[in-house]
Amino acid sequence: MEKPNQPAGSLPPVAAEADSSEVAVPRNWRGITRPLTTLVIILIGWEVIGRYVLTNPLFFAPLSEVAEAAVQLWSTGELQKHIWVSFSELMQGTFAAIVFGIAAGVGIGISQRVRDYTEIYITALYATPLVAVTPLLILWLGIGVFSKAAVVFLTAVFPILINTAAGIRSTDPLLIEVARSFCGTRSQIITKVMLPAAVPFMLTGIRLGIGRGIVGVVVGELFGARAGLGYLIFTSGQTFEVPALFVGILALAAMGVGLTFAAQLVERYALRWRRSTEMDGS
Amino acid sequence: MTELKTGVRPATVSVEHLEMVFTARGRRQKALEDINLTIAPGEFFVIVGPSGCGKTTLLRILQGLAHPTGGRALIGDREVTGPGIDRGFVFQQDALYPWRNVTRNVAFGLELQGITKADAAKRTQEMIELVGLTGFETYYPHELSGGMRQRVNLARALAIAPAILLMDEPFAALDALTRESMQRELLRIAAAAGTTIVFITHQIDEAILLGDRVAVFSPRPGRVREIISIDLPRPRPESVKQSPEFQAYVGHISALIG
Ligand SMILES: Nc1ncnc2c1ncn2[C@@H]1O[C@H](COP(=O)(O)OP(=O)(O)O)[C@@H](O)[C@H]1O
Ligand SMILES: [Mg+2]
């Protein structure tokens, strides 16, 4: 991806040497400077549009006012509270989904019988948008953290479970046979061969689960809550406080980005035994 | 060089009227028919035969990974009913655990036996030295060449100190130079430990270079066509391949395989 930024008529630089001698910025800095440039352009665009194009304060707000609202919400401690509530709902639900999803996924992956009893229902539940049961969960569990954690659990558990089961089942039969030839017991084959073989699948499931879980948190808080970023967005919308509404959205975006980044770090560490396919970025 | 001590007393490997019939897609297919073999303790026994004649199947039966439809396989006077740590298996394909580094792959068999970490570490390091992989302990399989991976395969099988080593075309995928050095190392290791080796290959010169005896199998269904004693003095250098005796064996076996 190294062609559009040459002046017309000039030859492409000869691979890496020409590249790094001509530009003082080292290669890995570009991974930061380039997306940062995009961000700056978007933020300036936002400010300009908010000031001169969408000037009705009921519909939009320039970035500076959003920033002001953020500072204000932060100074009263309100923003931190909303972030913390949403974050803990997400973490509790995701943690439960990981524990249950992996355990059930292993059970389903290793046992044909369990599969016969459950598989089509799990597939059906995976395909159902389970956020739809949120009102019911709020009726059952109240408007506190618990009901939202339950929504997160329900939305996040199926991708984790299904991916774990798929990973267990796709274990290379040769690797199982090696363990058998060394007199491995069934439980050793599960823990030392199938589980590690399924780790990449589990991580994919967890990443998908977290993505769905964030949606679950927001939807849950829209339906009924006392705090949380979804609650902040909902109440700000009802009172036409557009800057505060944007603060909520931006905080959610930041949470999503942060968790994705953390997931990538975990993945990179857990899968360090894999042939690295895309290590450099230019 | 490290001395290899085998944990289990060497024993005769024998096969009596062995037969294997597979049913695949509704069709019965005989892979092995009336195989009879007696392999002496410490013997280097080679099996050659065309692809699909049941060599892998026979080895899997000896390891206890497959059960024959007729006849039986014995280690000493005990019938083979399942895998045992008296036997080590070197698989034909690249059968390393990609998420384990060299050390942890070599230690795999010991780990399954519940051998303590400290004991396993010492033994594992010895095996890594034995196959010449010192310095690569922390490498993952994808960071190794085919020859190095096959060394790890071998070290893993040797780590449990098997009395019998079953090897399924272990060097087939290697280039000629690497194969030669692996052959030499295997002979050295086997001689030092007194290990019985059942070695499968489809390369006639490899069979003659390594074997005390060579069994030639017929095409499907696999049967023992002839067992040939290789009366060439050991050690057998590469140059032995040019000798008229060696060439006579090659001619004889080639004619049998046809
Ligand atoms: N699990 C199996 N199910 C059905 N057929 C098999 C199975 N394993 C091997 N065979 C058949 O048995 C024959 C011998 O196979 P194999 O032992 O792998 O031969 P070789 O190792 O000599 O090339 C082949 O025709 C193969 O298709
Ligand atoms: Mg084979």
PDB file of all heavy atoms in Angstrom, chain B residues 103-127:
ATOM      1  N   THR B 103      11.472 -27.624  23.018  1.00  0.00           N
ATOM      2  CA  THR B 103      11.581 -28.308  24.303  1.00  0.00           C
ATOM      3  C   THR B 103      10.262 -28.947  24.711  1.00  0.00           C
ATOM      4  O   THR B 103      10.218 -30.118  25.107  1.00  0.00           O
ATOM      5  CB  THR B 103      12.031 -27.305  25.395  1.00  0.00           C
ATOM      6  OG1 THR B 103      13.314 -26.813  25.028  1.00  0.00           O
ATOM      7  CG2 THR B 103      12.100 -27.972  26.753  1.00  0.00           C
ATOM      8  N   ARG B 104       9.185 -28.170  24.593  1.00  0.00           N
ATOM      9  CA  ARG B 104       7.904 -28.682  25.081  1.00  0.00           C
ATOM     10  C   ARG B 104       7.342 -29.762  24.159  1.00  0.00           C
ATOM     11  O   ARG B 104       6.595 -30.628  24.609  1.00  0.00           O
ATOM     12  CB  ARG B 104       6.918 -27.539  25.267  1.00  0.00           C
ATOM     13  CG  ARG B 104       7.468 -26.431  26.185  1.00  0.00           C
ATOM     14  CD  ARG B 104       6.569 -26.084  27.331  1.00  0.00           C
ATOM     15  NE  ARG B 104       5.233 -25.804  26.891  1.00  0.00           N
ATOM     16  CZ  ARG B 104       4.149 -26.438  27.352  1.00  0.00           C
ATOM     17  NH1 ARG B 104       4.257 -27.368  28.258  1.00  0.00           N
ATOM     18  NH2 ARG B 104       2.954 -26.125  26.881  1.00  0.00           N
ATOM     19  N   ASN B 105       7.694 -29.729  22.870  1.00  0.00           N
ATOM     20  CA  ASN B 105       7.311 -30.833  21.995  1.00  0.00           C
ATOM     21  C   ASN B 105       8.049 -32.105  22.372  1.00  0.00           C
ATOM     22  O   ASN B 105       7.448 -33.178  22.452  1.00  0.00           O
ATOM     23  CB  ASN B 105       7.589 -30.481  20.527  1.00  0.00           C
ATOM     24  CG  ASN B 105       6.347 -29.978  19.810  1.00  0.00           C
ATOM     25  OD1 ASN B 105       5.377 -30.707  19.627  1.00  0.00           O
ATOM     26  ND2 ASN B 105       6.374 -28.705  19.416  1.00  0.00           N
ATOM     27  N   VAL B 106       9.359 -31.970  22.615  1.00  0.00           N
ATOM     28  CA  VAL B 106      10.156 -33.154  22.954  1.00  0.00           C
ATOM     29  C   VAL B 106       9.679 -33.735  24.289  1.00  0.00           C
ATOM     30  O   VAL B 106       9.651 -34.942  24.491  1.00  0.00           O
ATOM     31  CB  VAL B 106      11.659 -32.805  22.989  1.00  0.00           C
ATOM     32  CG1 VAL B 106      12.474 -33.977  23.509  1.00  0.00           C
ATOM     33  CG2 VAL B 106      12.138 -32.406  21.599  1.00  0.00           C
ATOM     34  N   ALA B 107       9.264 -32.852  25.198  1.00  0.00           N
ATOM     35  CA  ALA B 107       8.851 -33.300  26.532  1.00  0.00           C
ATOM     36  C   ALA B 107       7.434 -33.871  26.559  1.00  0.00           C
ATOM     37  O   ALA B 107       7.009 -34.394  27.590  1.00  0.00           O
ATOM     38  CB  ALA B 107       8.940 -32.126  27.512  1.00  0.00           C
ATOM     39  N   PHE B 108       6.740 -33.798  25.425  1.00  0.00           N
ATOM     40  CA  PHE B 108       5.305 -34.132  25.429  1.00  0.00           C
ATOM     41  C   PHE B 108       5.003 -35.520  26.000  1.00  0.00           C
ATOM     42  O   PHE B 108       4.153 -35.675  26.873  1.00  0.00           O
ATOM     43  CB  PHE B 108       4.737 -34.007  24.012  1.00  0.00           C
ATOM     44  CG  PHE B 108       3.258 -34.205  23.931  1.00  0.00           C
ATOM     45  CD1 PHE B 108       2.390 -33.247  24.427  1.00  0.00           C
ATOM     46  CD2 PHE B 108       2.722 -35.368  23.381  1.00  0.00           C
ATOM     47  CE1 PHE B 108       1.011 -33.433  24.363  1.00  0.00           C
ATOM     48  CE2 PHE B 108       1.346 -35.559  23.316  1.00  0.00           C
ATOM     49  CZ  PHE B 108       0.494 -34.591  23.806  1.00  0.00           C
ATOM     50  N   GLY B 109       5.724 -36.526  25.498  1.00  0.00           N
ATOM     51  CA  GLY B 109       5.470 -37.894  25.959  1.00  0.00           C
ATOM     52  C   GLY B 109       5.738 -38.061  27.447  1.00  0.00           C
ATOM     53  O   GLY B 109       4.983 -38.719  28.161  1.00  0.00           O
ATOM     54  N   LEU B 110       6.809 -37.420  27.922  1.00  0.00           N
ATOM     55  CA  LEU B 110       7.154 -37.498  29.348  1.00  0.00           C
ATOM     56  C   LEU B 110       6.071 -36.837  30.189  1.00  0.00           C
ATOM     57  O   LEU B 110       5.683 -37.330  31.247  1.00  0.00           O
ATOM     58  CB  LEU B 110       8.501 -36.811  29.600  1.00  0.00           C
ATOM     59  CG  LEU B 110       9.698 -37.399  28.854  1.00  0.00           C
ATOM     60  CD1 LEU B 110      10.908 -36.481  28.959  1.00  0.00           C
ATOM     61  CD2 LEU B 110      10.027 -38.778  29.401  1.00  0.00           C
ATOM     62  N   GLU B 111       5.585 -35.701  29.686  1.00  0.00           N
ATOM     63  CA  GLU B 111       4.540 -34.956  30.381  1.00  0.00           C
ATOM     64  C   GLU B 111       3.291 -35.842  30.545  1.00  0.00           C
ATOM     65  O   GLU B 111       2.689 -35.872  31.608  1.00  0.00           O
ATOM     66  CB  GLU B 111       4.234 -33.718  29.540  1.00  0.00           C
ATOM     67  CG  GLU B 111       3.569 -32.585  30.264  1.00  0.00           C
ATOM     68  CD  GLU B 111       3.379 -31.407  29.313  1.00  0.00           C
ATOM     69  OE1 GLU B 111       4.378 -30.935  28.724  1.00  0.00           O
ATOM     70  OE2 GLU B 111       2.226 -30.972  29.138  1.00  0.00           O
ATOM     71  N   LEU B 112       2.938 -36.556  29.473  1.00  0.00           N
ATOM     72  CA  LEU B 112       1.759 -37.419  29.557  1.00  0.00           C
ATOM     73  C   LEU B 112       1.970 -38.572  30.545  1.00  0.00           C
ATOM     74  O   LEU B 112       1.013 -39.071  31.123  1.00  0.00           O
ATOM     75  CB  LEU B 112       1.398 -37.993  28.179  1.00  0.00           C
ATOM     76  CG  LEU B 112       0.911 -37.015  27.114  1.00  0.00           C
ATOM     77  CD1 LEU B 112       0.302 -37.764  25.947  1.00  0.00           C
ATOM     78  CD2 LEU B 112      -0.094 -36.019  27.664  1.00  0.00           C
ATOM     79  N   GLN B 113       3.228 -38.967  30.740  1.00  0.00           N
ATOM     80  CA  GLN B 113       3.505 -40.038  31.703  1.00  0.00           C
ATOM     81  C   GLN B 113       3.523 -39.514  33.129  1.00  0.00           C
ATOM     82  O   GLN B 113       3.733 -40.283  34.068  1.00  0.00           O
ATOM     83  CB  GLN B 113       4.859 -40.700  31.413  1.00  0.00           C
ATOM     84  CG  GLN B 113       4.984 -41.335  30.046  1.00  0.00           C
ATOM     85  CD  GLN B 113       3.761 -42.108  29.647  1.00  0.00           C
ATOM     86  OE1 GLN B 113       3.316 -42.975  30.374  1.00  0.00           O
ATOM     87  NE2 GLN B 113       3.193 -41.774  28.481  1.00  0.00           N
ATOM     88  N   GLY B 114       3.364 -38.212  33.282  1.00  0.00           N
ATOM     89  CA  GLY B 114       3.357 -37.639  34.628  1.00  0.00           C
ATOM     90  C   GLY B 114       4.742 -37.567  35.248  1.00  0.00           C
ATOM     91  O   GLY B 114       4.877 -37.537  36.460  1.00  0.00           O
ATOM     92  N   ILE B 115       5.767 -37.552  34.408  1.00  0.00           N
ATOM     93  CA  ILE B 115       7.133 -37.442  34.933  1.00  0.00           C
ATOM     94  C   ILE B 115       7.362 -36.016  35.410  1.00  0.00           C
ATOM     95  O   ILE B 115       6.949 -35.056  34.747  1.00  0.00           O
ATOM     96  CB  ILE B 115       8.144 -37.851  33.839  1.00  0.00           C
ATOM     97  CG1 ILE B 115       8.030 -39.362  33.623  1.00  0.00           C
ATOM     98  CG2 ILE B 115       9.565 -37.459  34.234  1.00  0.00           C
ATOM     99  CD1 ILE B 115       8.732 -39.876  32.425  1.00  0.00           C
ATOM    100  N   THR B 116       8.012 -35.886  36.555  1.00  0.00           N
ATOM    101  CA  THR B 116       8.151 -34.559  37.160  1.00  0.00           C
ATOM    102  C   THR B 116       8.918 -33.619  36.243  1.00  0.00           C
ATOM    103  O   THR B 116       9.779 -34.052  35.477  1.00  0.00           O
ATOM    104  CB  THR B 116       8.899 -34.619  38.503  1.00  0.00           C
ATOM    105  OG1 THR B 116      10.220 -35.094  38.240  1.00  0.00           O
ATOM    106  CG2 THR B 116       8.199 -35.527  39.484  1.00  0.00           C
ATOM    107  N   LYS B 117       8.599 -32.360  36.349  1.00  0.00           N
ATOM    108  CA  LYS B 117       9.168 -31.335  35.473  1.00  0.00           C
ATOM    109  C   LYS B 117      10.689 -31.386  35.455  1.00  0.00           C
ATOM    110  O   LYS B 117      11.312 -31.330  34.397  1.00  0.00           O
ATOM    111  CB  LYS B 117       8.698 -29.950  35.932  1.00  0.00           C
ATOM    112  CG  LYS B 117       7.462 -29.468  35.211  1.00  0.00           C
ATOM    113  CD  LYS B 117       7.666 -28.026  34.697  1.00  0.00           C
ATOM    114  CE  LYS B 117       6.703 -27.700  33.586  1.00  0.00           C
ATOM    115  NZ  LYS B 117       5.328 -27.535  34.054  1.00  0.00           N
ATOM    116  N   ALA B 118      11.298 -31.526  36.642  1.00  0.00           N
ATOM    117  CA  ALA B 118      12.758 -31.487  36.733  1.00  0.00           C
ATOM    118  C   ALA B 118      13.377 -32.679  35.994  1.00  0.00           C
ATOM    119  O   ALA B 118      14.303 -32.511  35.204  1.00  0.00           O
ATOM    120  CB  ALA B 118      13.190 -31.485  38.194  1.00  0.00           C
ATOM    121  N   ASP B 119      12.832 -33.869  36.242  1.00  0.00           N
ATOM    122  CA  ASP B 119      13.342 -35.060  35.556  1.00  0.00           C
ATOM    123  C   ASP B 119      13.141 -34.942  34.056  1.00  0.00           C
ATOM    124  O   ASP B 119      14.031 -35.264  33.265  1.00  0.00           O
ATOM    125  CB  ASP B 119      12.613 -36.314  36.061  1.00  0.00           C
ATOM    126  CG  ASP B 119      13.046 -36.678  37.464  1.00  0.00           C
ATOM    127  OD1 ASP B 119      14.017 -36.064  37.943  1.00  0.00           O
ATOM    128  OD2 ASP B 119      12.411 -37.557  38.070  1.00  0.00           O
ATOM    129  N   ALA B 120      11.957 -34.478  33.671  1.00  0.00           N
ATOM    130  CA  ALA B 120      11.648 -34.353  32.254  1.00  0.00           C
ATOM    131  C   ALA B 120      12.596 -33.361  31.591  1.00  0.00           C
ATOM    132  O   ALA B 120      13.072 -33.591  30.481  1.00  0.00           O
ATOM    133  CB  ALA B 120      10.198 -33.926  32.071  1.00  0.00           C
ATOM    134  N   ALA B 121      12.918 -32.272  32.298  1.00  0.00           N
ATOM    135  CA  ALA B 121      13.763 -31.225  31.718  1.00  0.00           C
ATOM    136  C   ALA B 121      15.144 -31.784  31.364  1.00  0.00           C
ATOM    137  O   ALA B 121      15.685 -31.513  30.294  1.00  0.00           O
ATOM    138  CB  ALA B 121      13.884 -30.059  32.687  1.00  0.00           C
ATOM    139  N   LYS B 122      15.688 -32.585  32.268  1.00  0.00           N
ATOM    140  CA  LYS B 122      17.015 -33.150  32.044  1.00  0.00           C
ATOM    141  C   LYS B 122      16.988 -34.079  30.827  1.00  0.00           C
ATOM    142  O   LYS B 122      17.791 -33.960  29.911  1.00  0.00           O
ATOM    143  CB  LYS B 122      17.434 -33.917  33.301  1.00  0.00           C
ATOM    144  CG  LYS B 122      18.832 -34.463  33.275  1.00  0.00           C
ATOM    145  CD  LYS B 122      19.278 -34.832  34.689  1.00  0.00           C
ATOM    146  CE  LYS B 122      20.546 -35.663  34.652  1.00  0.00           C
ATOM    147  NZ  LYS B 122      20.302 -37.028  34.151  1.00  0.00           N
ATOM    148  N   ARG B 123      16.039 -34.990  30.844  1.00  0.00           N
ATOM    149  CA  ARG B 123      15.890 -35.958  29.763  1.00  0.00           C
ATOM    150  C   ARG B 123      15.649 -35.244  28.422  1.00  0.00           C
ATOM    151  O   ARG B 123      16.252 -35.593  27.395  1.00  0.00           O
ATOM    152  CB  ARG B 123      14.701 -36.868  30.102  1.00  0.00           C
ATOM    153  CG  ARG B 123      14.353 -37.879  29.056  1.00  0.00           C
ATOM    154  CD  ARG B 123      15.292 -39.055  29.109  1.00  0.00           C
ATOM    155  NE  ARG B 123      15.062 -39.952  28.001  1.00  0.00           N
ATOM    156  CZ  ARG B 123      15.898 -40.916  27.639  1.00  0.00           C
ATOM    157  NH1 ARG B 123      17.008 -41.105  28.311  1.00  0.00           N
ATOM    158  NH2 ARG B 123      15.624 -41.680  26.622  1.00  0.00           N
ATOM    159  N   THR B 124      14.783 -34.247  28.461  1.00  0.00           N
ATOM    160  CA  THR B 124      14.454 -33.508  27.249  1.00  0.00           C
ATOM    161  C   THR B 124      15.696 -32.845  26.669  1.00  0.00           C
ATOM    162  O   THR B 124      15.956 -32.922  25.464  1.00  0.00           O
ATOM    163  CB  THR B 124      13.395 -32.435  27.579  1.00  0.00           C
ATOM    164  OG1 THR B 124      12.252 -33.074  28.133  1.00  0.00           O
ATOM    165  CG2 THR B 124      12.985 -31.672  26.344  1.00  0.00           C
ATOM    166  N   GLN B 125      16.481 -32.221  27.539  1.00  0.00           N
ATOM    167  CA  GLN B 125      17.685 -31.539  27.071  1.00  0.00           C
ATOM    168  C   GLN B 125      18.663 -32.545  26.455  1.00  0.00           C
ATOM    169  O   GLN B 125      19.283 -32.270  25.432  1.00  0.00           O
ATOM    170  CB  GLN B 125      18.332 -30.778  28.239  1.00  0.00           C
ATOM    171  CG  GLN B 125      19.383 -29.763  27.818  1.00  0.00           C
ATOM    172  CD  GLN B 125      18.862 -28.789  26.752  1.00  0.00           C
ATOM    173  OE1 GLN B 125      17.750 -28.291  26.839  1.00  0.00           O
ATOM    174  NE2 GLN B 125      19.653 -28.557  25.707  1.00  0.00           N
ATOM    175  N   GLU B 126      18.753 -33.725  27.065  1.00  0.00           N
ATOM    176  CA  GLU B 126      19.612 -34.770  26.500  1.00  0.00           C
ATOM    177  C   GLU B 126      19.179 -35.146  25.086  1.00  0.00           C
ATOM    178  O   GLU B 126      20.002 -35.296  24.183  1.00  0.00           O
ATOM    179  CB  GLU B 126      19.568 -36.029  27.375  1.00  0.00           C
ATOM    180  CG  GLU B 126      20.378 -35.945  28.653  1.00  0.00           C
ATOM    181  CD  GLU B 126      20.128 -37.145  29.574  1.00  0.00           C
ATOM    182  OE1 GLU B 126      19.514 -38.132  29.108  1.00  0.00           O
ATOM    183  OE2 GLU B 126      20.523 -37.072  30.737  1.00  0.00           O
ATOM    184  N   MET B 127      17.868 -35.279  24.909  1.00  0.00           N
ATOM    185  CA  MET B 127      17.353 -35.676  23.598  1.00  0.00           C
ATOM    186  C   MET B 127      17.600 -34.593  22.554  1.00  0.00           C
ATOM    187  O   MET B 127      17.922 -34.875  21.405  1.00  0.00           O
ATOM    188  CB  MET B 127      15.841 -35.949  23.689  1.00  0.00           C
ATOM    189  CG  MET B 127      15.476 -37.172  24.474  1.00  0.00           C
ATOM    190  SD  MET B 127      16.319 -38.640  23.883  1.00  0.00           S
ATOM    191  CE  MET B 127      17.418 -38.930  25.247  1.00  0.00           C
TER     192      MET B 127
END
